[in-house]
Amino acid sequence: MPKVTDAQVLEALRTVIDPDHAADIVSLGMVSGLTVRDNNVFFAIEVPPSRGAAAEPVRAAAAAAVDRVPGVVSVTAVLTAHRDSPGGAAPGAPGAPGGGRGRRQGPGALPGIGAVVAVASGKGGVGKSTTAANLALALRVNGLKVGLLDADIYGPSVPRLFAITDRPVADGEKLRPVECQGLKVMSMGFLVEEDMPMIWRGPMVQTALQQMLRDVAWAEIDVLVVDLPPGTGDAQLTMAQQVPLAGAVIVSTPQDLALIDARKGLNMFRRVDVPVLGIIENMSYYQCPACGHRAEVFGHGGARAEAERLDLPFLGAVPLDIEIRVTSDAGLPIVAAQPDSAHAQVYREIARTVWDRLGGGGAAGRRPPRIVIE
Ligand code: ADP
């Protein structure tokens, strides 16, 4: 079977004319995320939010054109919205970037969701998911209505962290999130088969994420905690752009904080105009469960100063503690398992600060309009 190349696909897509611009969709820069894998073709077509589903004929024509390329096994073409797409929102219009940091104004982005907060990390393995889960639980214990969206498509961990075996069920047009420990929970892990090849996950994440926000019956919640995939690459940047974030929290270990990872994360959010609410230092110190001795295992200890140097608010330090790992592995993160423990207090304090920084519910002005459609 002939091997299908990107060039062949693009050539086919050049025959597809966007009626709104009387030019082909490749020249207009509307095609993104082109991936050809074993002659399976995936790409996205970016259209301004205002066109919405009206652009479906363009998508269908593009899929048909690629399908005719000799050797193509399957075509997956999705519509996605981007503020910079041709004919996209004009400055000042809904969907356009707002006037300055944290001031992306507009009508309520996601009905029924007070504020969306991303939990990010410069790299994997720093405890981002553990922190996201405990932060969500702590916000809940502090009296808020909370959702947790596990958007880490490369390693969804929420089903494991909460030992969830249920799957979300349809509720009319929407999917009802799984209720767990007082949280409304959704995970990419519910939708992605474990053996799905990694190559498909990158492009998938964008549309899946949009659906997770729009087609899930979250309402009414005060805050939605989104566990982003680790790293600060393009995938994360796109997600940060496409989710109407009220703010972001960065999780780092002491040694990574001294490295550049946290700063990269910070810059990424600044680029997309999302306020960084602060940094959580995870595995900060080790407290001996037997004698209570506190050891700065990483010999660092100056995380707060380091955060200040990076111009980052410091949200708190979570110790390295076997209980935190054991409770997570057992499917009941520590804030749920031991809500009155010292560790839970640490998370609750962080949750209070996060909520304060969001404006204590008065964050609506920070939320941009939803800029994503399919
Ligand atoms: P990430 O999401 O950054 O990849 P995880 O949250 O999955 O990281 O954590 C990686 C591992 O470290 C898990 O086994 C988790 O239980 C453990 N872990 C995370 N934070 C702590 C902590 N503060 N103390 C002890 N173990 C932790």
Side-chain angles (χ1 to χ4, degrees), residues 48-103:
S50 54
R51 285 179 70 181
E56 169 56 23
V58 177
R59 190 206 63 81
V66 174
D67 204 33
R68 285 192 291 270
V69 174
V72 165
V73 173
S74 76
V75 184
T76 307
V78 297
L79 282 177
T80 176
H82 192 282
R83 352 181 232 252
D84 297 327
S85 51
R101 190 177 167 207
R103 290 195 37 79

Side-chain angles (χ1 to χ4, degrees), residues 124-130 160 282-283 318-321 324-325 328:
V126 301
K128 172 183 55 61
S129 298
T130 307
R160 177 176 49 82
N282 190 36
M283 311 194 202
V318 178
L320 172 72
D321 192 291
I324 294 179
R325 192 187 63 71
S328 293

Side-chain angles (χ1 to χ4, degrees), residues 180-194:
C180 188
Q181 300 299 324
L183 304 178
K184 291 184 175 174
V185 176
M186 275 299 287
S187 169
M188 293 288 192
F190 297 152
L191 307 183
V192 181
E193 299 302 328
E194 266 179 33

Side-chain angles (χ1 to χ4, degrees), residues 121 123-132 152 155 157 160-161 227-228 230 251 282-284 318-326 328-329 347:
S121 65
K123 60 172 206 176
V126 301
K128 172 183 55 61
S129 298
T130 307
T131 307
D152 188 349
S157 43
R160 177 176 49 82
L161 278 170
D227 183 3
L228 286 183
V251 181
N282 190 36
M283 311 194 202
S284 172
V318 178
L320 172 72
D321 192 291
I322 186 107
E323 279 295 308
I324 294 179
R325 192 187 63 71
V326 168
S328 293
D329 285 354
Y347 286 112

Side-chain angles (χ1 to χ4, degrees), residues 97-360:
R101 190 177 167 207
R103 290 195 37 79
R104 294 191 292 175
Q105 304 267 349
L110 296 163
I113 303 182
V116 185
V117 177
V119 178
S121 65
K123 60 172 206 176
V126 301
K128 172 183 55 61
S129 298
T130 307
T131 307
N134 280 303
L135 175 63
L137 286 164
L139 286 160
R140 167 83 191 123
V141 175
N142 288 354
L144 297 168
K145 295 198 189 99
V146 184
L148 175 61
L149 169 54
D150 173 15
D152 188 349
I153 202 152
Y154 300 105
S157 43
V158 157
R160 177 176 49 82
L161 278 170
F162 288 91
I164 296 174
T165 49
D166 293 348
R167 287 293 173 266
V169 291
D171 181 4
E173 300 262 283
K174 300 214 169 192
L175 216 50
R176 201 182 313 147
V178 173
E179 301 268 348
C180 188
Q181 300 299 324
L183 304 178
K184 291 184 175 174
V185 176
M186 275 299 287
S187 169
M188 293 288 192
F190 297 152
L191 307 183
V192 181
E193 299 302 328
E194 266 179 33
D195 56 0
M196 174 184 260
M198 282 296 165
I199 190 85
W200 287 98
R201 298 189 179 205
M204 240 208 70
V205 77
Q206 292 169 27
T207 41
L209 187 67
Q210 294 155 28
Q211 283 183 321
M212 290 282 198
L213 290 170
R214 196 191 51 223
D215 298 338
V216 170
W218 292 109
E220 295 281 323
I221 52 173
D222 298 306
V223 56
L224 177 66
V225 177
V226 181
D227 183 3
L228 286 183
T232 49
D234 282 350
Q236 290 78 10
L237 185 69
T238 312
M239 288 172 81
Q241 265 173 326
Q242 296 198 338
V243 180
L245 294 173
V249 167
I250 295 176
V251 181
S252 182
T253 59
Q255 64 273 48
D256 295 318
L257 190 58
L259 299 172
I260 203 69
D261 286 321
R263 190 191 303 238
K264 272 202 246 161
L266 176 72
N267 288 341
M268 177 182 87
F269 288 113
R270 284 190 176 153
R271 270 172 66 193
V272 291
D273 212 18
V274 171
V276 175
L277 304 173
I279 189 151
I280 299 174
E281 190 188 45
N282 190 36
M283 311 194 202
S284 172
Y285 55 89
Y286 176 72
Q287 194 147 17
C288 172
C291 68
H293 170 70
R294 177 170 163 153
E296 309 282 346
V297 228
F298 299 109
H300 193 262
R304 191 182 291 270
E306 184 71 22
E308 269 169 27
R309 202 175 62 75
L310 293 169
D311 200 20
L312 272 171
F314 188 67
L315 291 172
V318 178
L320 172 72
D321 192 291
I322 186 107
E323 279 295 308
I324 294 179
R325 192 187 63 71
V326 168
T327 47
S328 293
D329 285 354
L332 202 58
I334 193 138
V335 174
Q338 303 167 17
D340 298 321
S341 65
H343 297 324
Q345 289 302 333
V346 170
Y347 286 112
R348 288 183 65 177
E349 197 51 49
I350 291 172
R352 249 188 298 276
T353 313
V354 166
W355 187 238
D356 283 350
R357 286 188 197 278
L358 285 171

